[in-house]
Amino acid sequence: MEEMRRPKRGRPPKPREVDYADFMEEDDDAAGLAPPHTKRKRAASAAAAASLEDQPLIDIIKHNGRLISHAVKKLVEDYESNKNSVIFQILAMLFEACGAKHEIYPDYLHESDVDDIVLSLVDLARKGLVEDNYSTKQKDLKHFKENLVIFWDSLVLECQNGPLFDDTLFQKIKDYVIALSCTPPRVYRQVASLVGLQLVTSFISVAKILSGQRETTQRQLNAEKKKQSDGPLVESLNNRLALTHENITYLEDLMRKIFSGLFMHRYRDVDPEIRMSCIKSLGIWVVSYPSLFLQDIYLKYLGWTLNDKNAGVRRTSILALQSLYEVDDNIPSLGLFTERFYSRMIQLADDIDVSVAVSAIGLIKQLLRHQLLSDDDLGPLYDLLIDEPPMIRRAIGELVYDHLIAQNIKTSQPGARDGENEPSEVHIGRMLQILREFSEDPVLSSYVIDDIWDDMKAMRDWRCMISVLLDENPGIELTDMDGTNLVRMLHASAKKAVGERIIPAMDNRKLYYNKGQKETLENSKREITSAFLTRYPHLLRKYMSDKAKISPLVDMMVLLKLEMYSFKRQETHFKAAIDLITDAFFKHGEKDALRSCIKAITFCCTECQADLKDYAENKLKNLEDELVLKVKTAIKEVEAGDDEYSLLVNLKRLYELQLSKPVKNDSLFEDMYRILSHLRDMDNEVKSFLLLNMYLQVAWCLHVIDGENPSETSIDELLSKQSSLFDQLYYYLVVLPTYQKEGRSTTVLSCRTFQISCHSSRPHFCHLFLNLHRQIYQTSWQM
């Protein structure tokens, strides 16, 4: 093991004194300014400074963004000695960023009016002397917009201790930016809008710094006045406070002018990208500088753009409002705005664009948390729980969980309600109240469960749901409807937990999971099985007679990890569950219950091991023998004149069993043929299931034949049963319809849609019956 360890890292060597001495000798001007370890940085700075001499400002922004900070510092340093030159460089770069191939010189720029310069630039655009740097797809310009924003932000921050407040540089910049943003060429408006919006954002950064300084100075002044009412220090603090306030006022005035000159025109620009950038910036301004922008005169633009024809603009406005409502301190100032625009926010939850709708639902959730909406306003939203786009359903599910189940509420007081820590029974009880609205349709219930499942941890509290179903939890009193909904929720939640779908998918793609996801699903299956090990028989026994609950309960068997019954030495509980499922099979006659029972027992036969597998197989064999006996007995009873109900129910059971496995009993096929031949006046539904079961017997005979080496016995059996089946089909499809009145049919097989000649050959009936099999089955279960 010692060889595998990494060697310990030694301490860094101390710098030699001689190195520092040599450094000091080489550059006496550096004394006290730069320690020895900055030599490399200073060398890089020197190289950058040398590089700046060879590159125009626009080239740095286009191709060499790492030099922007050095270029800005050099501009600020040169500004004191040569203002006009620096102003020209900055404005020339602005024109070139817009793509104008101008020939404007410093003297002309200094002497001319802003409008004259901008008109000359517009003329260049009319002549086609403009290149589009903003929307270009060139790889070497992919960082152009990012670098342009960095330049203007760096320039504002670098000038905050001087040129920013000299009433010259940024006044000039502001005038040209506003003028260019109002010109016809789109690229001019795009670049000017980007620059103008960033200037306001950068001004806010400086204003916040100054606001902090003003507060500090005010505190110092108050403390000093307590010591002495007058004096040089008090005067100095007063002067500093006045200057700071003056600078903040100056910046706010610049912001207002850019807002009125640029934003108020460009937020409704024909270009949706410009509109989006305006709204996005306004959202940032309101959140970061509410003392100025958190007013209705600014907020109304966020409300108006909720109606923009472009989905991207609508979504940008919604996201800006989300960031605004996220700050609790903003809520008292948003009352009038919310009252004016809340109805539009609710309408956007059903927007034609899915991304807009999802964002709007998130915004509504915030309004509910702050109690800015009433429950009466939410009625239309709940219909979206069963909407087709999964993203919308998921967003509505989050809202329903947050508002109705967890009931999270934000208030200005520290005691805000957080429902995440409430007991599972509480959340389950509220979920059952919601499901009552969808009790008549299990499919709709599945949609609601699927929507809320990810957020509601209580739906994965298996032991809690089981205890509620077994009436072990005094906190919840279940009605029959609630019990049905809880069983459905338990089954659907378990399917979700093991990675199965509970609602139809928009596509038929198979679900694939990576290794980590598969491990998570396996752990979920273990948790479910652990909760059901000893309690499953109790659930089956309690709800054995309830046809609405038994099917989803029996379906739980296929979601369990059956080997845990052996590992945990709970074989007796497994056998009890299998016995109860078998009893349920003979107690019910509905399709869902019968199919669930057969599926569960068959699953146990394939997935169990050793003794448990033998027990399940024996149980299935005994079920088959008992069912055959019941069918044969019922046939004899009907032939003797008794009621047909017992025969019908057992034929349904036989049909479900034959869908999963062959039932080998030759005399049974003969009995079904005999009763069809002798008792032509039986109920249509009984005749339907007799034909269906005979057909499955023929199908299984065909299935077991070895295609390469068929035995003569199996061929003879197939031909014999096929002939008997065709005899019955011939009668019901051909002979009987000829005795019916024209256009009217009372046969079991919807013969009105088929015109079959009396001279048709028998193979036609086989083809017809195979095609009609699904129709017959569906019609039979509906009778």
Side-chain angles (χ1 to χ4, degrees), residues 103-147:
E103 295 182 357
I104 299 174
Y105 298 98
D107 294 339
Y108 177 69
L109 182 66
H110 181 67
E111 297 171 358
S112 301
D113 186 70
V114 173
D115 292 338
D116 295 335
I117 297 294
V118 172
L119 286 175
S120 67
L121 295 174
V122 173
D123 287 337
L124 291 175
R126 289 197 185 100
K127 297 175 183 178
L129 301 177
V130 172
E131 57 182 0
D132 189 352
N133 299 317
Y134 188 88
S135 304
T136 183
K137 301 298 183 182
Q138 296 179 30
K139 287 186 178 180
D140 58 337
L141 293 177
K142 63 180 180 180
H143 299 299
F144 171 74
K145 287 187 279 190
E146 178 185 352
N147 290 341

Side-chain angles (χ1 to χ4, degrees), residues 17 79 117 146 152 157 169 205 224 238 249 261 276 286 290 331 350 511 513 535 558 598 617 632 658 721 730 739:
E17 295 183 5
Y79 185 78
I117 297 294
E146 178 185 352
W152 291 103
L157 296 177
L169 175 60
S205 299
E224 194 61 32
N238 273 320
T249 304
M276 277 191 284
V286 176
I331 302 304
D350 197 19
L511 293 173
Y513 300 101
R535 318 303 298 280
V558 302
I598 294 299
E617 290 176 345
K632 292 172 71 67
Q658 288 200 100
K721 290 184 177 180
Y730 184 80
Y739 294 101

Side-chain angles (χ1 to χ4, degrees), residues 537-677:
H538 299 290
L539 287 172
L540 293 171
R541 190 174 292 110
K542 179 177 180 179
Y543 296 107
M544 172 71 69
S545 302
D546 195 321
K547 64 181 181 180
K549 300 180 181 67
I550 192 62
S551 179
L553 280 176
V554 172
D555 283 335
M556 289 297 302
M557 177 65 82
V558 302
L559 304 176
L560 303 183
K561 202 169 183 63
L562 298 182
E563 58 263 32
M564 288 184 64
Y565 278 99
S566 299
F567 296 158
K568 300 288 186 178
R569 298 182 181 275
Q570 300 294 334
E571 293 89 345
T572 54
H573 290 99
F574 171 82
K575 293 177 181 179
I578 287 291
D579 292 343
L580 289 167
I581 291 173
T582 304
D583 293 343
F585 178 79
F586 287 108
K587 198 173 189 67
H588 293 276
E590 299 81 21
K591 177 181 69 173
D592 291 339
L594 297 177
R595 190 161 294 181
S596 296
C597 292
I598 294 299
K599 182 180 178 182
I601 299 174
T602 305
F603 177 79
C604 294
C605 292
T606 57
E607 297 297 323
C608 287
Q609 298 176 354
D611 294 342
L612 296 185
K613 182 175 183 177
D614 293 341
Y615 188 85
E617 290 176 345
N618 289 333
K619 206 68 184 177
L620 182 60
K621 182 65 173 66
N622 294 337
L623 180 149
E624 177 184 332
D625 294 342
E626 183 177 353
L627 179 58
V628 169
L629 180 60
K630 285 179 177 291
V631 172
K632 292 172 71 67
T633 302
I635 289 174
K636 292 179 181 178
E637 291 174 351
V638 171
E639 289 176 330
D642 288 350
D643 187 74
E644 299 171 359
Y645 176 76
S646 175
L647 176 59
L648 175 61
V649 171
N650 285 294
L651 285 173
K652 290 180 178 181
R653 293 169 182 156
L654 179 62
Y655 177 80
E656 294 298 333
L657 179 62
Q658 288 200 100
L659 285 177
S660 62
K661 68 181 298 293
V663 175
K664 298 178 180 179
N665 191 297
D666 293 336
S667 62
L668 177 62
F669 186 89
E670 295 171 359
D671 290 344
M672 291 189 289
Y673 175 81
R674 184 183 68 251
I675 194 173
L676 274 174
S677 302

Side-chain angles (χ1 to χ4, degrees), residues 58-64 96 131 133 140-141 144 147:
I58 187 63
D59 287 346
I60 292 174
I61 292 174
K62 283 183 176 180
H63 310 297
N64 212 342
E96 291 161 357
E131 57 182 0
N133 299 317
D140 58 337
L141 293 177
F144 171 74
N147 290 341

Side-chain angles (χ1 to χ4, degrees), residues 88-103:
F88 172 76
Q89 291 182 61
I90 294 174
L91 293 179
M93 182 278 296
L94 174 62
F95 304 154
E96 291 161 357
C98 290
K101 301 177 181 178
H102 67 90
E103 295 182 357

Side-chain angles (χ1 to χ4, degrees), residues 206-259:
V206 177
K208 291 172 70 174
I209 295 172
L210 293 176
S211 297
Q213 294 175 357
R214 181 172 60 181
E215 292 176 3
T216 303
T217 304
Q218 185 66 60
R219 286 196 302 269
Q220 292 173 344
L221 180 60
N222 294 338
E224 194 61 32
K225 283 183 176 181
K226 291 180 181 179
K227 300 176 184 177
Q228 52 182 357
S229 59
D230 202 0
L233 183 55
V234 173
E235 183 179 359
S236 174
L237 289 172
N238 273 320
N239 293 336
R240 189 195 309 171
L241 185 63
L243 179 62
T244 305
H245 181 74
E246 181 182 345
N247 288 341
I248 292 174
T249 304
Y250 177 82
L251 286 175
E252 290 181 350
D253 184 61
L254 276 176
M255 294 181 212
R256 290 189 186 95
K257 288 180 178 178
I258 294 178
F259 186 90

